[in-house]
Amino acid sequence: MSDDDGNDSDDIIDDDSHNKHQPPPKPPLCGGNRPRSRSAPNIASTTSFPTFRDAIKDRAGWLIGLLFLQSCSSFIIQYNEGFLQDHMVIVQFLTMLVGAGGNAGNQASVRVIRELALGTLNERTMKPFLKQEAKMAFGLSGLLGLTGFIRAALFRTPPGETIAVTASLCAIVAISVGIGSTLPLVMKKVGIDPAHSSTTIQVLMDIFGVLITVSVSSLVFSFKMFMHKGSGDDVN
């Protein structure tokens, strides 16, 4: 064999060994071989959000409506002003009671909104989900009611007010969880964005919280053993 043939065979071997160390070729880009320009706008990002005008119209309109609706709680307080003046301890706990209802309801509504967004809450899972929320309503009302009772006892609240605060807190939390877990579903059913339920539940529980507190407290103080001397509930 000639030297030229030997050199050719060596070149072939060198080329083969060189090719083995080369990285594999990159696959062609989808939609053509031309890479997308960095300055090209992303169509999905420009069309996934409403315009500022539409967004503020939707959100401001809803908040303004809730602002007027929230005035109902002031009317309830004004209507029961005489009763609340005779039981100022109840007024001191009113913020705690209303806040607990808003928090519990908002927590339930946010969970429903999340499950709807993930697609895990549908017609098949609706019944067991609502059954679990019903148990949650009673469980949370009992736990928060016990916490409210301990708080009232630590501040040496009179027995009548302690019972009124505890019973009101139990009722408020149970009702707020029930409303919070069903309101987003009702809104979705009638074509309203379920995201509005988180703000709506706060206002609704402001109203219902005051109404429940006054109603439950009136019932508790209707018993003679809890009547205050010199109050309007006192009987001769």
Side-chain angles (χ1 to χ4, degrees):
M1 181 181 294
S2 63
D3 294 338
D4 293 338
D5 293 339
N7 293 334
D8 291 341
S9 62
D10 292 340
D11 293 340
I12 293 173
I13 293 173
D14 292 340
D15 291 341
D16 292 341
S17 62
H18 178 70
N19 291 335
K20 289 180 180 179
H21 296 287
Q22 291 294 326
K26 295 182 178 180
L29 297 174
C30 298
N33 295 328
R34 291 179 301 175
R36 180 181 295 177
S37 173
R38 293 184 179 179
S39 60
N42 190 348
I43 299 177
S45 64
T46 56
T47 58
S48 58
F49 299 105
T51 63
F52 175 79
R53 182 177 179 180
D54 293 337
I56 196 171
K57 181 180 178 182
D58 178 49
R59 294 169 65 174
W62 194 264
L63 292 174
I64 291 172
L66 293 176
L67 186 65
F68 284 104
L69 181 62
Q70 199 167 20
S71 302
C72 294
S73 59
S74 302
F75 297 148
I76 297 172
I77 293 176
Q78 186 177 2
Y79 182 78
N80 296 275
E81 186 177 0
F83 173 81
L84 294 174
Q85 285 180 349
D86 291 336
H87 306 89
M88 288 301 297
V89 178
I90 299 297
V91 179
Q92 296 171 4
F93 281 93
L94 197 58
T95 304
M96 182 196 76
L97 296 172
V98 172
N103 292 337
N106 193 26
Q107 185 185 64
S109 67
V110 167
R111 184 177 179 222
V112 174
I113 294 171
R114 183 188 64 184
E115 299 298 330
L116 288 173
L118 295 175
T120 55
L121 183 57
N122 47 50
E123 294 182 359
R124 184 177 59 86
T125 59
M126 185 78 66
K127 189 174 180 179
F129 179 83
L130 292 178
K131 187 180 294 185
Q132 185 186 48
E133 286 300 308
K135 294 179 182 178
M136 188 67 67
F138 288 106
L140 289 176
S141 67
L143 289 173
L144 268 71
L146 177 61
T147 305
F149 176 83
I150 295 173
R151 183 182 183 279
L154 289 176
F155 282 86
R156 297 181 180 181
T157 307
E161 279 81 353
T162 300
I163 294 175
V165 167
T166 304
S168 299
L169 185 56
C170 290
I172 289 172
V173 172
I175 292 173
S176 65
V177 174
I179 297 176
S181 58
T182 55
L183 186 60
L185 302 175
V186 174
M187 285 185 165
K188 183 181 178 183
K189 191 76 174 177
V190 299
I192 302 175
D193 187 0
H196 288 305
S197 61
S198 58
T199 53
T200 306
I201 190 67
Q202 295 280 355
V203 175
L204 290 178
M205 291 319 301
D206 281 351
I207 300 171
F208 289 138
V210 175
L211 183 61
I212 292 171
T213 301
V214 172
S215 301
V216 172
S217 299
S218 299
L219 178 63
V220 170
F221 292 117
S222 64
F223 295 95
K224 290 184 178 181
M225 59 185 301
F226 297 129
M227 288 182 180
H228 288 188
K229 294 181 179 181
S231 67
D233 296 332
D234 194 16
V235 226
N236 295 327

